[in-house]
Amino acid sequence: MDRPYELIEASDDEELQLLSETVRKFARAHVAVTSEESVGYRREIFDLMAKSGLTGAAISEALGGTAMSSLATSSIIFELSRVQLGPAIYLSVHYMVSRLIETWDRAGRHHPTLRDLAAGKSLGAFCLTEAPAGSDAAALKTQATKLTDGYRIDGEKIYITSAGHADVYLVFARTSGEGKEGISAFVVAKDTPGISFGAHERKMGCEGAPIASVRFDNCIVPPSALLGDEGAGYKIALSGLSAGRISIGAAACGLASASLELATRYASERRQFGSAIAEFQGIQFMLADMYLRLRPALLLVRDAANKLDRKAPGGEERLASSAAKCFATDAAMFVTTEAVQIFGGAGYLKDYQVERFMRDAKMLQIVEGTNQIQRSLIARSILK
Ligand SMILES: Cc1cc2nc3c(=O)[nH]c(=O)nc-3n(C[C@H](O)[C@H](O)[C@H](O)COP(=O)(O)OP(=O)(O)OC[C@H]3O[C@@H](n4cnc5c(N)ncnc54)[C@H](O)[C@@H]3O)c2cc1C
């Protein structure tokens, strides 16, 4: 069969194939979970990613990055997720922050920050969500008050991936009245006085990518911290979403692909009633249904990445990325749940990976715009 569970196909160019093979080896050697204790956040994984040249994939060569295509960065996220979701998630956020800072930087103000992000000396975090502003991000309340020489940021962000571990925070805060137009974006360093971090939230899965709140109390930043124009913050946040959603779709495919491979192997080895359980039609249909979700998910992610890479006209990549994110993450939820079922009692134990993949898949239906929000966006796009 021609690479049934792969994101990168035999018809893709050699460079892409080499990248995905290299990342697969890297992931197996350094990211794979070897014990319960090894699932948590470990900075050394990010440091190793830096050494392998993965941290600068979303930054231009002039700033020390490798300016990879969306399909290439998706393949990195896909391969990492096949063994452990956490590092794939914080790298995906790091890519989004890197891309946004470089795209919206004016007059090279943020070049030193971008060089550090590319080299993996700094890890990036994206601070949009607040208690009153989740799906409705435009309702955010964090205030950035203009001073004679800079801004004072006050407020609290919640559920922030890598909070406390990241070195650079892309923060969305209000510089004027209500609504989208009043929001601006700021690049804030971790050591800025007035920034503090809550304890890690205890969550269902994805332990390798901790989340926590980020507080800003009288946090003074210089005028150069502003990214783009005052009032452009919402536009900036939205402009990173297509790439972010494709990345989440790729992560979902990684979980689903690993789960289908594990379930297939287990079904061939586990014997009941005198034969391998893979001989039973009930199990065969489950495997077939898993494939029937995974394969289109891979194709939708490829389609969205290709559209983004060739800058398809009319913002086609927005519909494609919502479709990829929504379908692939629903597919991952289905495939990982079925994998647990095929493992039977063993599937419910921590000793096998499938229960972790199932818990991790749930997160992907929620982040980067919930799947209800994706469906609304898809419907709006169809009805236009
Ligand atoms: C593990 C994890 C990591 C995260 N990392 C980050 C991060 O790094 N940075 C960041 O800024 N945020 C992050 N988030 C926040 C995440 O983006 C939000 O949780 C998500 O956008 C949903 O917002 P909410 O939790 O407030 O849910 P709500 O918006 O309150 O939604 C609750 C429910 O209502 C539904 N709903 C809401 N509005 C509509 C509507 N119009 N139509 C239909 N249904 C609707 C939702 O789909 C959901 O089912 C993270 C969250 C998690 C769980």
Side-chain angles (χ1 to χ4, degrees):
M1 227 189 302
D2 178 23
R3 301 185 184 213
Y5 313 146
E6 305 293 338
L7 185 63
I8 299 305
E9 302 191 334
S11 55
D12 286 315
D13 65 40
E14 267 178 40
E15 214 176 305
L16 266 176
Q17 295 194 37
L18 183 63
L19 172 73
S20 82
E21 275 159 35
T22 308
V23 180
R24 185 173 318 163
K25 282 188 196 140
F26 173 90
R28 285 183 185 158
H30 303 297
V31 186
V33 172
T34 48
S35 66
E36 267 301 291
E37 294 72 48
S38 69
V39 190
Y41 174 81
R42 287 185 291 136
R43 179 69 177 221
E44 64 265 28
I45 294 181
F46 185 70
D47 296 339
L48 286 166
M49 288 174 178
K51 274 197 189 141
S52 305
L54 299 180
T55 50
I59 294 176
S60 66
E61 288 173 8
L63 294 167
T66 45
M68 288 190 197
S69 65
S70 172
L71 188 54
T73 53
S74 296
S75 86
I76 295 174
I77 301 301
F78 173 77
E79 293 298 343
L80 295 173
S81 306
R82 272 175 144 178
V83 298
Q84 194 192 164
L85 183 65
I89 289 298
Y90 65 65
L91 187 64
S92 167
V93 174
H94 175 83
Y95 286 163
M96 178 156 69
V97 169
S98 301
R99 259 189 219 105
L100 288 176
I101 298 180
E102 184 166 7
T103 305
W104 293 88
D105 186 17
R106 284 209 266 106
R109 281 176 183 177
H110 299 290
H111 279 183
T113 302
L114 284 163
R115 284 186 200 284
D116 284 352
L117 289 167
K121 287 182 189 157
S122 297
L123 171 65
F126 182 82
C127 301
L128 181 64
T129 305
E130 298 179 5
S135 300
D136 184 11
L140 67 83
K141 301 270 183 260
T142 292
Q143 199 66 40
T145 310
K146 197 160 189 170
L147 308 172
T148 40
D149 193 22
Y151 297 85
R152 190 187 69 232
I153 306 179
D154 293 286
E156 186 175 39
K157 300 288 175 179
I158 59 167
Y159 307 158
I160 304 305
T161 299
S162 304
H165 299 288
D167 311 280
V168 174
Y169 295 79
L170 181 54
V171 181
F172 297 87
R174 196 164 286 291
T175 41
S176 60
E178 299 288 297
K180 299 169 185 171
E181 294 74 23
I183 298 170
S184 300
F186 297 89
V187 178
V188 183
K190 180 187 182 180
D191 55 9
T192 310
I195 184 169
S196 61
F197 308 98
H200 287 179
E201 299 292 353
R202 295 167 61 239
K203 54 188 165 59
M204 182 192 283
C206 199
E207 290 91 341
I211 61 172
S213 57
V214 181
R215 272 201 66 81
F216 301 90
D217 294 296
N218 201 15
C219 177
I220 313 277
V221 295
S224 60
L226 181 70
L227 184 67
D229 292 327
E230 249 188 43
Y234 195 75
K235 208 159 115 190
I236 292 175
L238 289 194
S239 73
L241 288 181
S242 290
R245 286 171 182 162
I246 295 167
S247 218
I248 295 299
C253 289
L255 291 181
S257 134
S259 300
L260 181 48
E261 280 179 14
L262 288 172
T264 306
R265 198 178 318 142
Y266 188 82
S268 305
E269 288 166 3
R270 172 72 177 160
R271 297 182 70 80
Q272 285 293 278
F273 302 101
S275 61
I277 59 168
E279 299 293 320
F280 305 135
Q281 198 177 48
I283 296 286
Q284 290 173 2
F285 279 13
M286 288 170 80
L287 292 170
D289 283 338
M290 291 156 83
Y291 175 80
L292 286 170
R293 308 287 176 111
L294 172 56
R295 185 67 188 144
L298 288 162
L299 295 176
L300 281 172
V301 170
R302 285 177 60 87
D303 175 57
N306 284 327
K307 286 196 164 102
L308 186 64
D309 285 335
R310 62 163 202 270
K311 297 186 175 50
E316 258 184 56
E317 85 287 347
R318 283 200 292 275
L319 171 59
S321 63
S322 283
K325 191 272 174 181
C326 191
F327 189 90
T329 58
D330 284 352
M333 197 66 249
F334 176 85
V335 173
T336 55
T337 306
E338 293 299 86
V340 170
Q341 191 69 19
I342 288 176
F343 270 73
Y348 204 66
L349 304 186
K350 296 262 184 201
D351 307 12
Y352 300 87
Q353 304 209 65
V354 286
E355 65 83 33
R356 174 163 52 83
F357 290 153
M358 178 180 147
R359 288 184 287 110
D360 288 353
K362 187 68 222 169
M363 169 193 160
L364 300 180
Q365 294 181 303
I366 296 168
V367 298
E368 296 286 336
T370 66
N371 284 4
Q372 285 74 29
I373 294 297
Q374 302 309 328
R375 285 182 167 82
S376 297
L377 293 171
I378 292 167
R380 210 180 296 160
S381 196
I382 294 169
L383 291 166
K384 217 168 37 185

